Amino acid sequence: MQNQKGSLNELSKLSRVPFTTLKHWRSNNKWVKKRKEFQDELYQQTELKAIDKVREDLSQQWATLTTEHLHCYQICRKTAELRVKLIQQQFEKLKVEEDLRRSMGMPVEEIEQAQAEKLKQISIDDINTCSIVPDRYVKGERIVLSMDYLDINRAIVAVERTRLKVVSPSDVALRQGVSNG
């Protein structure tokens, strides 16, 4: 209270309005209550701005991470596609060599033996990559692009993050039935 009197005394001197008049105005106009309300509102506005800033920063980080994640899957896709092309070229070369040997009248046993030796040169790791990696990168790309979900709850959260509502097909049918009936 002493602090407020000091402030009123200073205000009285600066404004040349008597101290008692200022005290009366403070009481009748509820200056203390209004100051508290003003400070509370100012705090809330500041808090909301801080929350919006954090939300914006997190959203930007999420977008960056999602983009980086997608690029990683796309690199895996390109690498696997190159390996598939390499294996296809090796098999095509084997076919051409086999056809050439057959046209030259080479015995079937020698052709098969040559083919077996050439097949050993094709990497099992490359074949494994061709069978496993595409499944992984396609699944990863679908998840990153919100086209596939590990569970329904994550799907709902992803949709609601865009500020859309998740509506059950039965709810839509019910609403249409009500509006048509």
Side-chain angles (χ1 to χ4, degrees):
M1 203 64 165
Q2 180 63 30
N3 227 359
Q4 290 178 352
K5 276 188 176 179
S7 297
L8 285 179
N9 279 331
E10 291 172 17
L11 188 57
S12 176
K13 289 176 188 172
L14 289 172
S15 65
R16 295 187 181 139
V17 174
F19 175 79
T20 53
T21 303
L22 287 176
K23 191 173 175 182
H24 178 71
W25 288 351
R26 180 185 71 188
S27 176
N28 286 348
N29 296 323
K30 301 177 182 171
W31 286 2
V32 173
K33 180 183 175 189
K34 287 182 179 179
R35 183 179 66 229
K36 172 91 171 96
E37 289 171 356
F38 172 77
Q39 289 172 339
D40 288 347
E41 185 167 330
L42 185 63
Y43 176 78
Q44 287 176 347
Q45 288 175 0
T46 304
E47 191 176 51
L48 287 174
K49 285 182 182 180
I51 289 170
D52 285 344
K53 176 70 173 132
V54 169
R55 184 181 303 138
E56 184 179 312
D57 290 348
L58 288 175
S59 177
Q60 183 61 43
Q61 288 175 1
W62 177 266
T64 300
L65 289 173
T66 300
T67 302
E68 289 172 356
H69 197 181
L70 180 60
H71 287 303
C72 289
Y73 282 117
Q74 289 172 336
I75 288 170
C76 290
R77 174 187 287 270
K78 288 177 183 174
T79 302
E81 288 171 353
L82 289 173
R83 284 191 165 190
V84 167
K85 285 181 183 178
L86 175 65
I87 291 171
Q88 285 174 334
Q89 289 171 351
Q90 289 173 320
F91 280 119
E92 287 170 8
K93 185 178 176 184
L94 283 174
K95 179 68 175 142
V96 168
E97 288 176 4
E98 180 183 341
D99 291 344
L100 181 64
R101 287 188 175 113
R102 285 187 193 279
S103 69
M104 293 172 43
M106 189 179 268
V108 174
E109 295 83 26
E110 285 183 39
I111 294 172
E112 288 176 354
Q113 185 180 6
Q115 289 290 50
E117 289 298 318
K118 293 284 185 174
L119 283 173
K120 288 179 185 176
Q121 294 174 3
I122 296 175
S123 167
I124 297 298
D125 288 339
D126 284 342
I127 293 171
N128 191 36
T129 297
C130 293
S131 64
I132 294 173
V133 172
D135 181 55
R136 288 183 184 166
Y137 69 68
V138 168
K139 191 178 291 183
E141 287 172 343
R142 290 178 62 83
I143 289 171
V144 170
L145 295 171
S146 298
M147 297 167 63
D148 198 14
Y149 301 98
L150 300 176
D151 64 41
I152 191 67
N153 293 326
R154 290 178 83 179
I156 291 170
V157 168
V159 169
E160 289 177 345
R161 192 177 319 128
T162 64
R163 295 195 174 141
L164 296 173
K165 295 284 184 202
V166 176
V167 179
S168 163
S170 60
D171 290 344
V172 172
L174 181 64
R175 286 186 189 143
Q176 288 174 346
V178 169
S179 63
N180 292 338

